[in-house]
Amino acid sequence: MTVLKLFGIIFFCGLLSPSQEVLSGLSCAVSPQAMQSVLSDAIIHNGLLQQHLQGLVLPSIMGEGHLLNSPTSITGLHLVQVRLPRLSVVLLPGIGIQLTIGAKLQLSGNCLVGLLSELIDILVDVNITANIKSTNFESGTVQVVTEDCLCILGAIKVKVLSGLITLSVNEMVLRQLTATLPALLCPVVDIVMNLVNIQLLGTLNAVIPVGTAGTIHYQLASIPYTSGKFLGLDLDGAVKQVGGSTIPHNSSPSALPPLVDRLMLMAMRQSFINSILTLLLQMPPQTFPCTPDAFSGANHLHEAFWTIAPAGCTPCRGTNALNIKLTLGGNPLILLEENKASVKLSVLIQVFIKHSDGSLLNLLLLKADLGLNVRVSIVGGRLVLKLALGSTSLSLDSSDVGISNISVLKPHCSNLLTERFLPLINAALSVGIPLPNVLGIPLIKVDVQI
């Protein structure tokens, strides 16, 4: 189960105390179980370990003959297959992760006992434990180093076609593999972890389009950190318009809440969401005639306007049709409270007449301050906000014909905004806010908390 919180919205995996803040872009807490699954997929299931161990060549094993035993030599010893690989992860607070890889290594070579030469197969249990630490953070990237790598050999089986293998050969093989295998296997683990690090960083440092409006450049904001219960990742996001200009937001880091029986927690802060809403809601003015085919309440608005138009307003009369122009006034502002999200938005409503010579008469310029209720969901890895009109505050900005009382227009303007404007807003928001595919962990079965 994954959780996303907006602080906030948090997309869960965990609970966030209302008193705690999170990073302005995204903060993520990843559980040990999720890390184990991620690394198992990357290292074992995708064949990365097998690929880099394949063809591993070991030094020849030479044994002296004693009494009735003939001298023994094993040459051309190489790895054929990694059997039953398994991986486990333990988080080391303040250090990184402890990675344990267990497997059966199938080795093959040529065995010469006295004058008899034949193929030899060796099956040996290995258990590799290494501490993996992040270091050298710079520009959204980190390096990983492998420390304290320990390779322990377990049961060993030696087999030749003739079956003529003595106990002393088993002991010789185990002794020499114990001396040589760790020096060969630990560097492979280091190589594999660096490749995995590059792969996983690609999920954190990504430029993702936001519809056709612009992009979000997610980037690791600081070096990953570990507690005994989660791996913490701070990401920031640069919100850019088409053309390259950046929409600023507050980028103050702070601590993540604890994970509670979840795979991952992602937390998104209010200021970051605001910058993305500003990107998405850059709508051109909408102009249309005040006719029934424009919206269902047009006749009522038309009639209400004539009731407040001054009697001496000659240009208001006659056959001139009313036109309406809707323009966004300023940037949207999302407000997040416990279990509730709302958006404040201002819209300018201009009612005007266009004369035959092309000149305009501004009958009314109104300002509508909207309180919009927000429904939040996760669809296809994107955070989708859908708005519904909650409240409308209407004020008069100007009138070229002396209109001063606009109280009767409020319900009609609310209908106008609901029918003509909100669908446009929701269409612009329907592309959703793309979320990074953190460590390849899918956002499924997501709980959203505000």
Side-chain angles (χ1 to χ4, degrees):
M1 175 74 74
T2 303
V3 180
L4 178 58
K5 275 199 175 182
L6 292 132
F7 202 61
I9 299 182
I10 293 197
F11 319 131
F12 261 97
C13 299
L15 299 175
L16 180 64
S17 165
S19 64
Q20 293 174 293
E21 289 187 306
V22 296
L23 196 73
S24 62
L26 282 175
S27 288
C28 304
V30 181
S31 72
Q33 298 95 323
M35 277 305 304
Q36 182 165 309
S37 177
V38 166
L39 293 177
S40 291
D41 285 343
I43 295 174
I44 293 176
H45 300 149
N46 293 339
L48 195 61
L49 181 65
Q50 173 79 32
Q51 175 188 340
H52 283 81
L53 285 177
Q54 192 73 41
L56 184 70
V57 177
L58 285 78
S60 297
I61 297 175
M62 311 300 292
E64 297 291 338
H66 298 286
L67 296 177
L68 299 178
N69 292 333
S70 300
T72 303
S73 64
I74 301 173
T75 59
L77 195 59
H78 62 280
L79 185 135
V80 176
Q81 185 180 9
V82 181
R83 295 187 183 179
L84 304 175
R86 57 198 180 279
L87 180 148
S88 62
V89 169
V90 175
L91 300 182
L92 303 177
I95 298 175
I97 67 172
Q98 184 177 82
L99 183 71
T100 300
I101 299 174
K104 293 180 181 291
L105 302 185
Q106 181 185 347
L107 308 173
S108 183
N110 298 309
C111 180
L112 179 64
V113 181
L115 298 177
L116 179 64
S117 176
E118 58 183 319
L119 293 177
I120 185 170
D121 285 321
I122 301 171
L123 194 63
V124 56
D125 288 346
V126 295
N127 204 64
I128 308 168
T129 301
N131 294 341
I132 311 298
K133 182 179 180 180
S134 297
T135 184
N136 296 336
F137 174 80
E138 183 179 357
S139 301
T141 64
V142 295
Q143 294 178 322
V144 294
V145 293
T146 304
E147 299 179 338
D148 303 321
C149 184
L150 178 64
C151 180
I152 299 176
L153 273 59
I156 185 169
K157 294 180 180 179
V158 181
K159 178 183 175 183
V160 295
L161 187 61
S162 66
L164 299 177
I165 286 291
T166 64
L167 183 60
S168 62
V169 172
N170 274 27
E171 293 173 349
M172 177 186 69
V173 170
L174 180 58
R175 182 173 62 252
Q176 295 206 28
L177 288 183
T178 300
T180 57
L181 264 180
L184 296 172
L185 295 179
C186 285
V188 171
V189 171
D190 187 56
I191 292 171
V192 166
M193 284 307 305
N194 275 279
L195 291 172
V196 169
N197 180 52
I198 294 171
Q199 174 187 330
L200 296 183
L201 278 176
T203 70
L204 305 178
N205 299 342
V207 177
I208 308 176
V210 187
T212 58
T215 60
I216 300 176
H217 183 184
Y218 288 107
Q219 188 174 54
L220 195 62
S222 61
I223 200 163
Y225 55 94
T226 54
S227 71
K229 295 184 178 179
F230 67 88
L231 170 72
L233 300 167
D234 287 338
L235 284 77
D236 206 355
V239 182
K240 293 187 176 183
Q241 300 173 336
V242 171
S245 60
T246 300
I247 300 174
H249 64 274
N250 179 11
S251 297
S252 302
S254 52
L256 271 173
L259 266 175
V260 181
D261 299 327
R262 303 300 182 101
L263 294 180
M264 180 175 66
L265 177 148
M266 296 174 63
M268 182 183 288
R269 194 171 173 179
Q270 177 174 294
S271 61
F272 182 56
I273 302 169
N274 271 330
S275 65
I276 302 172
L277 287 182
T278 299
L279 175 68
L280 287 173
L281 297 183
Q282 297 185 24
M283 300 172 55
Q286 305 293 313
T287 303
F288 49 91
C290 184
T291 56
D293 58 342
F295 64 102
S296 63
N299 284 339
H300 298 294
L301 177 60
H302 199 278
E303 293 171 2
F305 172 77
W306 295 130
T307 64
I308 61 173
C313 179
T314 304
C316 300
R317 310 297 173 181
T319 60
N320 292 317
L322 298 182
N323 295 279
I324 296 175
K325 182 179 181 180
L326 301 179
T327 308
L328 273 178
N331 294 327
L333 176 65
I334 191 167
L335 301 176
L336 300 170
E337 306 168 71
E338 189 169 355
N339 299 322
K340 180 183 178 182
S342 59
V343 168
K344 292 196 175 299
L345 195 65
S346 293
V347 182
L348 297 177
I349 305 173
Q350 183 182 17
V351 181
F352 65 93
I353 292 174
K354 186 174 182 179
H355 296 300
S356 57
D357 60 2
S359 62
L360 301 182
L361 177 65
N362 176 41
L363 304 177
L364 276 178
L365 182 61
L366 306 173
K367 182 183 178 184
D369 293 317
L370 310 182
L372 304 167
N373 299 324
V374 182
R375 189 176 69 193
V376 181
S377 60
I378 299 292
V379 179
R382 292 172 177 259
L383 176 68
V384 179
L385 308 179
K386 187 169 184 179
L387 309 183
L389 187 61
S391 63
T392 306
S393 174
L394 202 63
S395 60
L396 176 64
D397 188 276
S398 64
S399 172
D400 291 349
V401 295
I403 295 175
S404 58
N405 183 6
I406 59 169
S407 58
V408 298
L409 298 180
K410 182 176 179 179
H412 307 299
C413 287
S414 293
N415 290 338
L416 165 68
L417 293 169
T418 299
E419 292 184 31
R420 284 297 304 244
F421 197 68
L422 269 183
L424 298 175
I425 292 288
N426 283 323
L429 295 178
S430 65
V431 300
I433 299 173
L435 302 172
N437 185 24
V438 173
L439 304 184
I441 301 173
L443 288 174
I444 56 175
K445 298 184 178 178
V446 181
D447 290 339
V448 179
Q449 295 193 9
I450 303 174

